[in-house]
Amino acid sequence: MKMFIDCDPGVDDSLAILFALNRPDVEVVGISTSTGNVTAAQGAENALRILKLAGMEGKIPVCAGAEKPLVGEVEDFPDFIHGKNGMGDVELPPTEQKVVDMDVSDFMYQKACEYEGDLVLISLGRMTNLANTLTKYPDYAKKIKRVVAMGGTIYSHGNVSPVVEANIGGDPEAADIAMTAEWDMTLVGLDVTLKTHLTRSDVDKLLRCCLPEKKGMVSFVSEELRYYMNGSRKQNYTMEYSPLHDPLAMVVAVDPSVVHTRKMVTRVECGGTWCRGKVVVDLREQPIEGRFVEHCLDVDSRKALNILFAAFQN
């Protein structure tokens, strides 16, 4: 599988990226970043350091993208969940690899052309880069094989408002553009990520069972998850576990059998106070104008976690 990752690393982004890099059936051909958990520039630096940790320094290009949403300005970063540096304040060694000196839309389109018809696009943050590329290059969507995105909620509650998930809420206009584009999109939202619990016990077991050559990566994940799980405890009153957001989207990309889905006509609410950023689906016989998006509504959480852990053991 040829994969392009758009992200905002981000503790859970870090684990998702490392999972993809350790899957023998996945070839990551590019990474782009946008503002979200940290600035796009900080996210790109984090991605470069993660590549070095995985022994992939200089092998996968990284491009920094949008530093603000399509409308409005950037709000405060969620430091209490991801730390000041986005990686639970765990410091990885610097790398000599530099970010690609290109407009992110040009970079994303270039990769789509290079792997036309084969490229799977993984969206782990706000969809600003996707929207900008779709606007600049109207044929971009037709070059992508499929899109798997972490974001939204249909029947579950939100995490930044009563009904809104953070990635979609961070740039509703961009998400609406992405969800109405002419491509095959699967949305992995809070309906399934909140049901998939990554526990401290799971991480400790992985530390004991991982391959020796992958110990450094797992140790890093273990340390940054300490901060992340503490943030989850403050936000959601969880004890010794956190929901599995971005890594679950990665798992779904490589093995869709872990989720049950339904395709529904979908738009994003771009107005209002409490509902700005809400993913809206219409099941009526004559629905609103929109495209069908595949939504994950249930998950085999243990199978998903086993697939995630296997990448560091096999």
Side-chain angles (χ1 to χ4, degrees):
M1 177 190 299
K2 307 291 185 184
M3 181 183 289
F4 186 99
I5 303 172
D6 186 67
C7 55
D8 58 344
V11 173
D12 54 337
D13 302 71
S14 302
L15 178 53
I17 293 168
L18 286 169
F19 167 75
L21 296 176
N22 282 279
R23 284 280 302 199
D25 55 347
V26 171
E27 180 186 356
V28 179
V29 301
I31 298 173
S32 59
T33 62
S34 65
T35 193
N37 296 320
V38 288
T39 66
Q42 179 67 63
E45 177 63 26
N46 291 350
L48 291 173
R49 295 189 183 204
I50 291 166
L51 290 176
K52 180 176 181 177
L53 175 66
M56 302 290 286
E57 184 177 19
K59 297 181 180 179
I60 300 171
V62 176
C63 186
E67 289 288 8
K68 64 178 184 177
L70 298 185
V71 176
E73 298 298 327
V74 178
E75 297 181 358
D76 293 339
F77 296 114
D79 296 347
F80 75 101
I81 294 177
H82 295 276
K84 293 291 185 181
N85 72 348
M87 297 193 292
D89 289 338
V90 179
E91 289 292 336
L92 289 176
T95 170
E96 294 184 3
Q97 183 179 349
K98 304 299 181 184
V99 296
V100 175
D101 185 18
M102 288 179 67
D103 175 83
V104 72
S105 295
D106 297 340
F107 176 66
M108 295 176 77
Y109 186 72
Q110 179 189 80
K111 290 300 177 183
C113 292
E114 186 176 351
Y115 300 99
E116 184 169 354
D118 292 325
L119 193 60
V120 176
L121 173 60
I122 308 296
S123 173
L124 302 179
R126 300 176 184 184
M127 299 185 184
T128 316
N129 289 338
L130 278 63
N132 284 334
T133 306
L134 288 163
T135 301
K136 188 171 185 177
Y137 297 101
D139 62 335
Y140 175 61
K142 295 182 180 180
K143 296 181 181 295
I144 299 296
K145 183 176 182 179
R146 64 188 177 103
V147 182
V148 180
M150 191 279 130
T153 176
I154 305 302
Y155 301 119
S156 181
H157 57 77
N159 60 3
V160 292
S161 91
V163 292
V164 176
E165 179 275 330
N167 285 344
I168 308 302
D171 196 339
E173 286 78 11
D176 193 53
I177 290 171
M179 289 187 207
T180 54
E182 295 184 29
W183 52 21
D184 178 10
M185 173 179 274
T186 299
L187 207 60
V188 184
L190 301 183
D191 295 279
V192 288
T193 65
L194 291 177
K195 296 176 184 175
T196 310
H197 297 167
L198 180 63
T199 69
R200 185 72 246 171
S201 176
D202 286 331
V203 178
D204 291 342
K205 288 177 183 176
L206 182 60
L207 269 172
R208 295 195 299 270
C209 298
C210 68
L211 292 172
E213 62 267 28
K214 300 182 181 184
K215 191 86 169 183
M217 288 178 277
V218 177
S219 295
F220 161 68
V221 168
S222 175
E223 286 305 306
E224 65 172 359
L225 280 171
R226 292 186 189 280
Y227 193 105
Y228 188 75
M229 288 181 179
N230 188 52
S232 180
R233 180 185 60 79
K234 292 177 181 178
Q235 184 179 45
N236 301 315
Y237 304 119
T238 59
M239 296 296 291
E240 293 295 303
Y241 80 88
S242 62
L244 196 70
H245 297 304
D246 294 342
L248 182 58
M250 277 291 189
V251 171
V252 170
V254 301
D255 190 345
S257 71
V258 301
V259 289
H260 295 287
T261 65
R262 182 175 183 179
K263 290 186 176 182
M264 296 177 274
V265 173
T266 305
R267 296 299 297 266
V268 177
E269 175 58 59
C270 295
T273 300
W274 304 114
C275 295
R276 174 172 161 77
K278 176 176 173 53
V279 175
V280 178
V281 296
D282 195 343
L283 301 178
R284 296 177 297 173
E285 291 81 359
Q286 299 184 46
I288 56 177
E289 183 179 352
R291 288 183 58 82
F292 280 95
V293 172
E294 187 173 28
H295 295 273
C296 300
L297 301 179
D298 204 1
V299 60
D300 184 338
S301 58
R302 180 41 57 182
K303 181 178 180 181
L305 287 166
N306 286 344
I307 292 171
L308 176 68
F309 299 146
F312 302 95
Q313 299 177 77
N314 297 337

PDB file of all heavy atoms in Angstrom, residues 246-260:
ATOM      1  N   ASP A 246      -5.957   8.564  16.401  1.00  0.00           N
ATOM      2  CA  ASP A 246      -5.247   8.470  15.126  1.00  0.00           C
ATOM      3  C   ASP A 246      -4.739   7.064  14.798  1.00  0.00           C
ATOM      4  O   ASP A 246      -4.836   6.631  13.649  1.00  0.00           O
ATOM      5  CB  ASP A 246      -4.090   9.455  15.096  1.00  0.00           C
ATOM      6  CG  ASP A 246      -4.566  10.899  15.102  1.00  0.00           C
ATOM      7  OD1 ASP A 246      -5.750  11.143  14.796  1.00  0.00           O
ATOM      8  OD2 ASP A 246      -3.769  11.789  15.429  1.00  0.00           O
ATOM      9  N   PRO A 247      -4.197   6.318  15.770  1.00  0.00           N
ATOM     10  CA  PRO A 247      -3.753   4.966  15.422  1.00  0.00           C
ATOM     11  C   PRO A 247      -4.877   4.067  14.928  1.00  0.00           C
ATOM     12  O   PRO A 247      -4.645   3.201  14.087  1.00  0.00           O
ATOM     13  CB  PRO A 247      -3.153   4.445  16.739  1.00  0.00           C
ATOM     14  CG  PRO A 247      -2.722   5.673  17.463  1.00  0.00           C
ATOM     15  CD  PRO A 247      -3.784   6.688  17.145  1.00  0.00           C
ATOM     16  N   LEU A 248      -6.091   4.265  15.430  1.00  0.00           N
ATOM     17  CA  LEU A 248      -7.202   3.437  14.946  1.00  0.00           C
ATOM     18  C   LEU A 248      -7.487   3.733  13.481  1.00  0.00           C
ATOM     19  O   LEU A 248      -7.780   2.817  12.705  1.00  0.00           O
ATOM     20  CB  LEU A 248      -8.448   3.671  15.791  1.00  0.00           C
ATOM     21  CG  LEU A 248      -9.663   2.803  15.403  1.00  0.00           C
ATOM     22  CD1 LEU A 248      -9.327   1.314  15.491  1.00  0.00           C
ATOM     23  CD2 LEU A 248     -10.870   3.124  16.284  1.00  0.00           C
ATOM     24  N   ALA A 249      -7.387   4.995  13.072  1.00  0.00           N
ATOM     25  CA  ALA A 249      -7.574   5.322  11.659  1.00  0.00           C
ATOM     26  C   ALA A 249      -6.543   4.591  10.803  1.00  0.00           C
ATOM     27  O   ALA A 249      -6.861   4.094   9.715  1.00  0.00           O
ATOM     28  CB  ALA A 249      -7.483   6.830  11.449  1.00  0.00           C
ATOM     29  N   MET A 250      -5.306   4.510  11.283  1.00  0.00           N
ATOM     30  CA  MET A 250      -4.267   3.780  10.559  1.00  0.00           C
ATOM     31  C   MET A 250      -4.588   2.293  10.466  1.00  0.00           C
ATOM     32  O   MET A 250      -4.404   1.662   9.422  1.00  0.00           O
ATOM     33  CB  MET A 250      -2.916   3.970  11.255  1.00  0.00           C
ATOM     34  CG  MET A 250      -2.195   5.233  10.890  1.00  0.00           C
ATOM     35  SD  MET A 250      -1.633   5.181   9.172  1.00  0.00           S
ATOM     36  CE  MET A 250      -0.605   6.650   9.170  1.00  0.00           C
ATOM     37  N   VAL A 251      -5.063   1.741  11.556  1.00  0.00           N
ATOM     38  CA  VAL A 251      -5.428   0.319  11.555  1.00  0.00           C
ATOM     39  C   VAL A 251      -6.558   0.066  10.565  1.00  0.00           C
ATOM     40  O   VAL A 251      -6.536  -0.909   9.810  1.00  0.00           O
ATOM     41  CB  VAL A 251      -5.812  -0.145  12.973  1.00  0.00           C
ATOM     42  CG1 VAL A 251      -6.410  -1.549  12.943  1.00  0.00           C
ATOM     43  CG2 VAL A 251      -4.596  -0.117  13.897  1.00  0.00           C
ATOM     44  N   VAL A 252      -7.559   0.946  10.557  1.00  0.00           N
ATOM     45  CA  VAL A 252      -8.676   0.800   9.625  1.00  0.00           C
ATOM     46  C   VAL A 252      -8.180   0.869   8.181  1.00  0.00           C
ATOM     47  O   VAL A 252      -8.679   0.155   7.308  1.00  0.00           O
ATOM     48  CB  VAL A 252      -9.742   1.878   9.889  1.00  0.00           C
ATOM     49  CG1 VAL A 252     -10.802   1.896   8.784  1.00  0.00           C
ATOM     50  CG2 VAL A 252     -10.414   1.644  11.238  1.00  0.00           C
ATOM     51  N   ALA A 253      -7.190   1.699   7.925  1.00  0.00           N
ATOM     52  CA  ALA A 253      -6.653   1.825   6.570  1.00  0.00           C
ATOM     53  C   ALA A 253      -6.057   0.516   6.071  1.00  0.00           C
ATOM     54  O   ALA A 253      -6.206   0.162   4.899  1.00  0.00           O
ATOM     55  CB  ALA A 253      -5.605   2.935   6.521  1.00  0.00           C
ATOM     56  N   VAL A 254      -5.379  -0.217   6.967  1.00  0.00           N
ATOM     57  CA  VAL A 254      -4.732  -1.465   6.543  1.00  0.00           C
ATOM     58  C   VAL A 254      -5.642  -2.672   6.704  1.00  0.00           C
ATOM     59  O   VAL A 254      -5.460  -3.691   6.030  1.00  0.00           O
ATOM     60  CB  VAL A 254      -3.408  -1.701   7.306  1.00  0.00           C
ATOM     61  CG1 VAL A 254      -2.447  -0.548   7.078  1.00  0.00           C
ATOM     62  CG2 VAL A 254      -3.630  -1.916   8.790  1.00  0.00           C
ATOM     63  N   ASP A 255      -6.646  -2.587   7.595  1.00  0.00           N
ATOM     64  CA  ASP A 255      -7.561  -3.711   7.808  1.00  0.00           C
ATOM     65  C   ASP A 255      -8.960  -3.184   8.151  1.00  0.00           C
ATOM     66  O   ASP A 255      -9.320  -3.045   9.318  1.00  0.00           O
ATOM     67  CB  ASP A 255      -7.057  -4.617   8.933  1.00  0.00           C
ATOM     68  CG  ASP A 255      -7.843  -5.931   9.014  1.00  0.00           C
ATOM     69  OD1 ASP A 255      -8.930  -6.024   8.405  1.00  0.00           O
ATOM     70  OD2 ASP A 255      -7.374  -6.864   9.697  1.00  0.00           O
ATOM     71  N   PRO A 256      -9.770  -2.883   7.124  1.00  0.00           N
ATOM     72  CA  PRO A 256     -11.109  -2.334   7.361  1.00  0.00           C
ATOM     73  C   PRO A 256     -12.046  -3.281   8.099  1.00  0.00           C
ATOM     74  O   PRO A 256     -13.102  -2.844   8.573  1.00  0.00           O
ATOM     75  CB  PRO A 256     -11.633  -2.053   5.949  1.00  0.00           C
ATOM     76  CG  PRO A 256     -10.416  -1.993   5.070  1.00  0.00           C
ATOM     77  CD  PRO A 256      -9.441  -2.949   5.698  1.00  0.00           C
ATOM     78  N   SER A 257     -11.668  -4.552   8.238  1.00  0.00           N
ATOM     79  CA  SER A 257     -12.563  -5.513   8.882  1.00  0.00           C
ATOM     80  C   SER A 257     -12.732  -5.260  10.370  1.00  0.00           C
ATOM     81  O   SER A 257     -13.619  -5.847  11.000  1.00  0.00           O
ATOM     82  CB  SER A 257     -12.043  -6.944   8.673  1.00  0.00           C
ATOM     83  OG  SER A 257     -10.873  -7.191   9.439  1.00  0.00           O
ATOM     84  N   VAL A 258     -11.920  -4.367  10.965  1.00  0.00           N
ATOM     85  CA  VAL A 258     -12.034  -4.122  12.403  1.00  0.00           C
ATOM     86  C   VAL A 258     -13.227  -3.230  12.731  1.00  0.00           C
ATOM     87  O   VAL A 258     -13.562  -3.058  13.908  1.00  0.00           O
ATOM     88  CB  VAL A 258     -10.745  -3.500  12.986  1.00  0.00           C
ATOM     89  CG1 VAL A 258      -9.557  -4.408  12.747  1.00  0.00           C
ATOM     90  CG2 VAL A 258     -10.491  -2.106  12.423  1.00  0.00           C
ATOM     91  N   VAL A 259     -13.862  -2.628  11.705  1.00  0.00           N
ATOM     92  CA  VAL A 259     -14.979  -1.722  11.963  1.00  0.00           C
ATOM     93  C   VAL A 259     -16.206  -2.110  11.145  1.00  0.00           C
ATOM     94  O   VAL A 259     -16.105  -2.774  10.109  1.00  0.00           O
ATOM     95  CB  VAL A 259     -14.609  -0.253  11.642  1.00  0.00           C
ATOM     96  CG1 VAL A 259     -13.629   0.296  12.662  1.00  0.00           C
ATOM     97  CG2 VAL A 259     -14.050  -0.117  10.227  1.00  0.00           C
ATOM     98  N   HIS A 260     -17.365  -1.714  11.654  1.00  0.00           N
ATOM     99  CA  HIS A 260     -18.619  -1.781  10.905  1.00  0.00           C
ATOM    100  C   HIS A 260     -18.949  -0.366  10.457  1.00  0.00           C
ATOM    101  O   HIS A 260     -18.850   0.581  11.248  1.00  0.00           O
ATOM    102  CB  HIS A 260     -19.747  -2.344  11.766  1.00  0.00           C
ATOM    103  CG  HIS A 260     -19.529  -3.767  12.171  1.00  0.00           C
ATOM    104  ND1 HIS A 260     -19.648  -4.816  11.291  1.00  0.00           N
ATOM    105  CD2 HIS A 260     -19.191  -4.314  13.366  1.00  0.00           C
ATOM    106  CE1 HIS A 260     -19.394  -5.947  11.918  1.00  0.00           C
ATOM    107  NE2 HIS A 260     -19.104  -5.670  13.178  1.00  0.00           N
TER     108      HIS A 260
END
